[in-house]
Amino acid sequence: MTPLLSVNGITKTYGTHIGCADVSFDLYPGEVMGIVGESGSGKSTLLNCMAGHLVPDAGEVVFDTRADGPKDTVTMSEPERRMLSRTDWAFVHQHARDGLRMGVSAGGNVGERLMAVGERNYGDIRDKATDWLERVEISSDRVDDRPTTFSGGMQQRLQIARNLVTGPRLVFMDEPTGGLDVSVQARLLDLLRGLVRDMGLSAIIVTHDLAVVRLLADRLMVMKSGRVVEAGLTDQVLDDPQHVYSQLLVSSVLQV
Amino acid sequence: MTHQDEYNFAYLDEQTKRMIRRAILKGLAIPGYQVPFASREMPMPYGWGTGGVQVSAAVLTPDDTLKVIDQGADDTTNAVSIRTFFERTAGVETTTATTDASVIQTRHRIPEEPLTEGQILVYQVPIPEPLRFLEPRESETRKMHALEEYGLMHVKLYEDISRHGHIATSYAYPVKVEGRYVMDPSPIPKFDNPKLGDMAAVQLFGAGREQRIYALPPYTDVVSLDFEDHPFEASKADQICGLCGAEDSYLDEVITDDRGGRLFCCSDTDYCLSRRNAGFQGPAFPENEVTK
Amino acid sequence: MIELKDVSKTFTLHNQNSAVIEVINDVSLSVAKGECVALTGASGAGKSTLMRMIYGNYMTQAGEILIGNVDLVQAEPRDIIALRRDVLGYVSQFLRVVPRVPTLDVVAEPLRSVGVSSAEAEARAKELLSQLNIPERLWSLSPTTFSGGEQQRVNIARGFAHAYPAMLLDEPTASLDAANREVVLSLIEQAKVRGAAIIGIFHDEAARDRVCDREIDVSRFTPVAA
């Protein structure tokens, strides 16, 4: 089987400071991988390098494109990469307002990606937007409301709908449940799990919340000072961590 | 012309005009593409047509005949002052007759009379960037133009329909040029949009404050954006001109008294007048006729 | 079906003076299709540890753990994930679920993930939940709020939803009343009949005697105090 995403030796430095160093892994279709580590461990830098928001100093991010098979997205042309990020990729920001157009209605937010890939029938676009709002548990009568009138959890769900409407194959998530109430987090996790299973999505989730990765991720990478110190099955890494830092990380979590 | 106490022809110095002409030529070569240019301070405030004036100054020759309209009218302050400006600084002939003019500077209208080859229509543009409404970052909108990512433009129209049930944008209605660049046609009513395409005259757009020039060479393909199920419609008030009786021209609504009296009349004053001179009369005649 | 060859496990506690704890050494055992083997031994002998190693939950330092023809010790995470989805079931003592997910979906999920239609998966889940005497009014609620015994039964229903060829059962009858214990034991018997290879930990001796074909005393793999 061809990996959906194959990351080879990604390195990004900021001057003398290491963002992330020599990170490699393969992600297969349908897999969800978590990346954990404390603030500054390089997990967000890595995510942004993979998603094309940052240019790595070295390394490849090979994505199995629908048209041409595996292609390095770091060296592919910008139009091609941007096209990927509108179609086969999705990016869920920690703060919904970074991923939404706050001045545009919920329907317009969801419809944007459809229009970006050439849909030109208002009725169809609206139907799909409404359908997606319902899938993320937002009442369809809110379709014309702006996200500014939504709660934090609703905004995050709207952001997810907006990202998934074009049926992407790979979703990057940056602390998707950060900043939300615990009860709202649970609802979102449940939603994400269902979507991942039903759509056969692959996902890379950056978080510092070990409970989130335990519930969502099949695999886990632990990062420390820009390097991957341990990787493996999520429950194996959490229940039998091998590296000194992973052991510290796991033992530092308050039990509930 | 070389006297110290006189202006250079058409106010701007020759180097500036060369710079502007280069921008115009580039714009003509890439229809709909916004060409940056070093806009100069003009002896009038921004918003009074500084972009259009600079473009007019760059294209005017001593043999040209200039017409200036503001919302279709030759006789409003803006039109009169720009016309006077060029009479004084360039010494060119001026006219109010569309057919007699070789250069027409316009604010927010296209004349009703079809333009012909050899004529130049210069638009004054307040905001050249059609994507700005939804994407304020200039770095991002430039990239979107470069990569032809125009989904956002339809988001604007989508929002219109979702809010009003139809595309309520009635002026500055976005168009796609030669299947490539999305362009803001300046705040002309969308009634004028169909005239943009396949026009015999050269169309030049100047935005002074924003320092952008763009252009449509003659007979360019220009399509107004729309949805399959909400097609573009060039709309106007469902009336006829009260003065000349025209049914096909864009109408202004004029309040005539404080008792709710109103008059619809051609916004293109030259068109209206030439029809009246040709004997056409609207329903508001003859009682209201002002003797010339 | 399940075969262990010279399997050893140590824990290295980096944050406690790098203490190395040897847990079990040189385990070799095999379980055939249709066979149920009980792990026995005193508390702390390493029964649960061994079970978790066989599930891939704990890292194994040496040896081979073969489930079918996959060696869990060497397998890539995605192979283990596939193995757990299709071949290897595990009923732990604790229920770990996404909050807010209805019980019915919790039980049906293993079936859905192997591609069974939602309707069919739900039908099977309902059947198991009624067998295990979970009142129907609870099916639409999340099991996170259930009592310990109810959670245990939901866990068992989930574990038996898909007909795994290999199963690991950690105290499946603990904290169950007689009626439910009987249901669980018959589920185990049915699994054996269809050819599942089962390894279990049962403190309940009567249950062990009834369903297990053999016992393996884990204490004999426990290293002598280091």
Side-chain angles (χ1 to χ4, degrees):
Chain A
M1 186 157 55
T2 314
L4 183 67
L5 189 75
S6 191
V7 175
N8 301 313
I10 285 295
T11 300
K12 173 78 184 172
T13 55
Y14 303 101
T16 55
H17 175 72
I18 293 174
C20 62
D22 200 23
V23 177
S24 303
F25 66 90
D26 289 338
L27 185 76
Y28 287 83
E31 275 189 328
V32 177
M33 193 174 76
I35 303 176
V36 296
E38 61 199 1
S39 304
S41 59
K43 52 193 197 304
S44 292
T45 298
L46 176 63
L47 189 75
N48 283 313
C49 282
M50 291 190 288
H53 300 166
L54 282 176
V55 182
D57 301 331
E60 304 179 311
V61 178
V62 178
F63 181 74
D64 185 17
T65 61
R66 286 183 213 232
D68 310 315
K71 268 190 115 166
D72 182 13
T73 61
V74 175
T75 51
M76 81 172 29
S77 70
E78 188 175 12
E80 211 178 342
R81 190 167 52 241
R82 283 173 71 111
M83 184 50 111
L84 261 189
S85 60
R86 288 203 301 273
T87 53
D88 261 355
W89 286 4
F91 196 102
V92 177
H93 294 263
Q94 174 177 5
H95 301 292
R97 48 180 62 239
D98 294 338
L100 292 174
R101 293 194 189 278
M102 299 306 280
V104 170
S105 70
N109 264 291
V110 178
E112 181 178 345
R113 272 170 80 113
L114 294 171
M115 294 181 246
V117 295
E119 290 219 20
R120 291 292 178 265
N121 187 298
Y122 174 81
D124 290 352
I125 293 165
R126 196 174 167 84
D127 287 348
K128 282 185 195 169
T130 313
D131 176 48
W132 263 98
L133 289 182
E134 281 170 0
R135 287 175 76 167
V136 299
E137 302 171 24
I138 295 174
S139 163
S140 56
D141 59 21
R142 302 296 301 270
V143 65
D144 293 330
D145 293 345
R146 292 186 180 191
T148 39
T149 66
F150 288 7
S151 68
M154 281 171 81
Q155 289 183 3
Q156 198 59 298
R157 279 178 275 137
L158 178 62
Q159 192 192 182
I160 288 165
R162 167 179 161 90
N163 269 284
L164 297 189
V165 65
T166 49
R169 291 187 294 155
L170 177 60
V171 186
F172 299 101
M173 299 191 214
D174 189 5
E175 303 274 8
T177 60
L180 297 177
D181 288 347
V182 180
S183 62
V184 178
Q185 274 191 22
R187 198 170 171 196
L188 193 71
L189 286 175
D190 170 27
L191 175 75
L192 283 172
R193 237 169 93 111
L195 290 170
V196 164
R197 188 191 54 222
D198 296 345
M199 299 177 73
L201 292 174
S202 302
I204 297 177
I205 302 173
V206 159
T207 181
H208 58 261
D209 188 339
L210 298 184
V212 168
V213 290
R214 189 185 279 279
L215 292 173
L216 279 183
D218 306 311
R219 292 165 55 194
L220 191 58
M221 280 197 337
V222 181
M223 290 189 73
K224 161 87 175 148
S225 307
R227 291 172 197 279
V228 175
V229 294
E230 184 165 356
L233 273 182
T234 302
D235 59 300
Q236 187 255 300
V237 174
L238 293 179
D239 294 337
D240 185 16
Q242 305 294 309
H243 187 271
V244 49
Y245 176 71
S246 323
Q247 290 187 356
L248 187 65
L249 194 71
V250 170
S251 64
S252 307
V253 176
L254 297 174
Q255 297 289 327
V256 285
Chain B
M1 183 127 156
T2 49
H3 292 302
Q4 286 286 309
D5 56 345
E6 285 184 6
Y7 287 113
N8 189 31
F9 176 75
Y11 184 76
L12 292 173
D13 63 275
E14 291 305 311
Q15 290 306 320
T16 298
K17 287 194 283 185
R18 277 181 70 181
M19 177 270 294
I20 294 172
R21 284 177 199 138
R22 276 199 294 265
I24 291 170
L25 286 173
K26 185 169 179 181
L28 286 166
I30 317 169
Y33 171 72
Q34 297 168 46
V35 184
F37 80 109
S39 177
R40 298 294 194 247
E41 292 294 325
M42 298 302 287
M44 61 191 74
Y46 290 124
W48 286 49
T50 55
V53 166
Q54 289 179 80
V55 169
S56 294
V59 299
L60 274 177
T61 66
D63 300 333
D64 274 315
T65 305
L66 179 71
K67 168 182 164 82
V68 183
I69 50 175
D70 176 2
Q71 305 269 23
D74 292 277
D75 52 4
T76 56
T77 321
N78 206 214
V80 170
S81 52
I82 292 173
R83 195 162 57 228
T84 313
F85 175 78
F86 281 117
E87 279 167 1
R88 283 173 52 186
T89 60
V92 291
E93 289 285 315
T94 58
T95 179
T96 58
T98 302
T99 43
D100 295 344
S102 55
V103 175
I104 303 170
Q105 181 171 334
T106 176
R107 178 172 172 271
H108 310 350
R109 267 316 306 275
I110 297 176
E112 303 293 352
E113 183 74 39
L115 300 185
T116 56
E117 287 182 18
Q119 286 184 304
I120 299 175
L121 184 60
V122 178
Y123 296 78
Q124 301 171 198
V125 181
I127 297 169
E129 181 48 71
L131 298 163
R132 177 143 331 144
F133 171 78
L134 291 159
E135 178 51 70
R137 290 169 297 181
E138 180 79 15
S139 58
E140 188 62 21
T141 55
R142 278 198 220 180
K143 204 168 269 181
M144 291 160 89
H145 282 293
L147 303 179
E148 230 178 312
E149 292 179 2
Y150 289 130
L152 201 52
M153 214 57 253
H154 274 87
V155 172
K156 185 179 179 207
L157 301 178
Y158 172 95
E159 290 292 283
D160 245 18
I161 304 174
S162 73
R163 208 162 304 153
H164 307 286
H166 60 97
I167 299 178
T169 301
S170 55
Y171 61 92
Y173 192 102
V175 295
K176 195 162 199 179
V177 179
E178 288 288 329
R180 179 59 183 85
Y181 285 97
V182 165
M183 187 189 95
D184 183 324
S186 86
I188 58 171
K190 69 177 168 185
F191 173 83
D192 282 343
N193 268 30
K195 299 181 205 161
L196 289 162
D198 212 31
M199 187 191 275
V202 172
Q203 300 173 78
L204 304 176
F205 299 79
R209 177 174 36 208
E210 301 265 344
Q211 314 205 341
R212 292 289 183 279
I213 284 171
Y214 48 103
L216 297 173
Y219 307 112
T220 300
D221 178 39
V222 178
V223 177
S224 302
L225 300 181
D226 60 3
F227 287 102
E228 291 159 11
D229 46 350
H230 286 268
F232 171 80
E233 263 177 79
S235 59
K236 68 185 254 304
D238 192 17
Q239 302 279 341
I240 61 168
C241 175
L243 303 180
C244 76
E247 296 173 8
D248 56 355
S249 73
Y250 190 72
L251 302 175
D252 282 339
E253 184 181 357
V254 181
I255 305 295
T256 49
D257 53 41
D258 55 6
R259 295 186 305 276
R262 61 190 59 202
L263 168 70
F264 285 93
C265 62
C266 293
S267 100
D268 185 337
T269 51
D270 173 60
Y271 181 72
C272 197
L273 192 65
S274 41
R275 278 177 56 85
R276 274 180 278 156
N277 288 343
F280 292 101
Q281 281 197 353
F285 273 94
E287 308 88 68
N288 293 356
E289 172 70 311
V290 184
T291 40
K292 265 191 103 178
Chain C
M1 187 67 211
I2 305 176
E3 187 165 11
L4 277 65
K5 293 179 187 165
D6 304 324
V7 170
S8 298
K9 165 82 191 153
T10 55
F11 286 113
T12 307
L13 306 178
H14 292 287
N15 296 299
Q16 291 173 41
N17 303 320
S18 297
V20 177
I21 301 171
E22 293 188 24
V23 194
I24 29 186
N25 268 338
D26 296 328
V27 182
S28 294
L29 61 87
S30 79
V31 181
K33 285 181 181 165
E35 199 183 14
C36 177
V37 172
L39 300 180
T40 60
S43 212
K47 300 185 294 290
S48 288
T49 301
L50 185 60
M51 191 90 108
R52 285 172 162 231
M53 286 159 69
I54 299 172
Y55 194 58
N57 178 224
Y58 279 1
M59 190 93 126
T60 300
Q61 270 71 26
E64 287 179 30
I65 298 175
L66 295 163
I67 312 285
N69 47 14
V70 178
D71 178 7
L72 267 174
V73 180
Q74 302 294 330
E76 290 290 316
R78 67 191 180 93
D79 299 324
I80 301 179
I81 290 163
L83 190 78
R84 288 175 176 183
R85 185 182 61 228
D86 301 324
V87 179
L88 183 62
Y90 180 43
V91 177
S92 72
Q93 295 186 63
F94 307 101
L95 180 68
R96 204 162 229 157
V97 293
V98 179
R100 224 181 60 111
V101 178
T103 298
L104 194 63
D105 290 340
V106 168
V107 176
E109 201 206 343
L111 279 173
R112 285 201 192 114
S113 61
V114 292
V116 173
S117 74
S118 283
E120 208 176 313
E122 260 184 41
R124 173 75 180 143
K126 284 178 181 170
E127 185 191 337
L128 281 163
L129 287 169
S130 1
Q131 263 184 306
L132 286 157
N133 302 306
I134 302 285
E136 196 169 340
R137 64 189 158 78
L138 299 182
W139 295 358
S140 58
L141 305 177
S142 164
T144 42
T145 54
F146 290 5
S147 72
E150 284 165 342
Q151 290 199 2
Q152 171 71 348
R153 280 178 277 150
V154 171
N155 215 8
I156 289 165
R158 178 178 161 89
F160 280 89
H162 170 53
Y164 297 103
M167 294 188 78
L168 306 171
L169 310 174
D170 192 353
E171 297 277 12
T173 54
S175 67
L176 294 185
D177 59 31
N180 285 313
R181 177 173 166 276
E182 182 55 35
V183 176
V184 174
L185 291 177
S186 64
L187 282 172
I188 297 173
E189 283 164 350
Q190 287 163 22
K192 284 173 67 180
V193 169
R194 64 168 168 78
I198 301 173
I199 295 179
I201 299 173
F202 299 88
H203 282 138
D204 174 354
E205 279 182 39
R208 192 198 305 161
D209 293 343
R210 178 168 153 192
V211 296
C212 296
D213 305 297
R214 284 189 285 140
E215 293 182 9
I216 293 174
D217 186 352
V218 177
S219 326
R220 65 187 163 100
F221 305 117
T222 315
V224 201

